[in-house]
Amino acid sequence: MKSNDKVWRVLSAVALLLIALALSACSMGGGAEATVDDAGSDIPVITVTLGDDGLGVPAETPSGVVAIDPSAAPDAFIARLNDGVTTEQLTEALASAQEDPTAALALLSLLGGASNTTDGHLIVDLKPGTHAVVILGEAGAQVATFTAGEASGATAPTPDVVVDLVDFNFAIPTEISAGPKVWQINNKGQQWHEMAIVKLSEGATVDDVLAMLASGEETDGPPPFEDAAFWAPNSPGETGYVTWDLPAGEYTVLCFLPDLTGDFSPHAAHGMVAQLTVTE
Ligand SMILES: [Cu+2]
């Protein structure tokens, strides 16, 4: 199999997951004009919109600690453009990102993205400079860029749960209690990483999930898991925050991203899988 085929298949599986999450979260609203609001704390909220005229985001935002509300486009991810990279260059690179993401990844740092949050947003610490909100869809990439300027002066939330993403594992508590929890997600690896928190279907195993990813198809109906929460890819060194309220139960945590320095197999196949128990 050509490596590009493998990338496509893995990304197709990721896309299925993202679409499922988007459908589950699409009742959360959106469509309003893109704004920067005050969340009631000192953290400004940057609202992403998605309408007939595409993806929208305020042209100028604070830098520093900000909240980004992608609930109108829950499969969007946030990126910082490398110095000198233009929107046109990024758009061109993203056009082929689903076949091979390496060209796009060379132009930016991925800051994450989140679905199924309790408050509709994720929190990131933006450096001054050009950023983008991106959706990779079947119809191609949608990109909205914005410039982070003056520092917000806000402080990052105090996390309840800290997860380090490494090559290839999750440093994550084995057990947390139910109720809203602020998660801090740190990529401490050398590769890009994401975090999908899923509930395996009755009788399904991690091997079933890996087999689905390897086949790139849903051969026997739906995937052998339900999505509970998703954190979109972070580049090495990047940190984000999100509040999730996971019901009590047993969860499996996986990274589906392809190993770009190896055989393009998903990180989960390299052992980037963890179990999480949420107690009452
Ligand atoms: Cu990973």
Side-chain angles (χ1 to χ4, degrees), residues 165-170 191-194 254-257 266-268 272:
L165 314 174
V166 297
D167 312 337
F168 297 101
N169 212 336
F170 295 96
Q191 284 217 17
W192 62 341
H193 294 297
E194 65 184 10
L254 303 124
C255 177
F256 293 110
L257 291 175
H267 291 182
M272 198 158 179

Side-chain angles (χ1 to χ4, degrees), residues 224-275:
F225 58 82
E226 283 178 33
D227 313 307
F230 184 73
W231 180 263
N234 265 5
S235 292
E238 301 298 342
T239 287
Y241 300 83
V242 61
T243 303
W244 284 316
D245 185 0
L246 295 172
E250 298 294 328
Y251 295 87
T252 300
V253 185
L254 303 124
C255 177
F256 293 110
L257 291 175
D259 176 8
L260 298 178
T261 64
D263 61 1
F264 292 88
S265 57
H267 291 182
H270 293 291
M272 198 158 179
V273 180
Q275 301 300 322

Side-chain angles (χ1 to χ4, degrees), residues 48 68 70 76-80 109-113 122 124 126 131-134 146 232-233:
V48 177
I68 298 179
F77 60 87
I78 318 301
R80 178 177 63 249
S109 292
L110 297 167
L111 306 186
L122 62 145
V124 289
L126 300 179
H131 293 73
V133 178
V134 180
F146 62 97

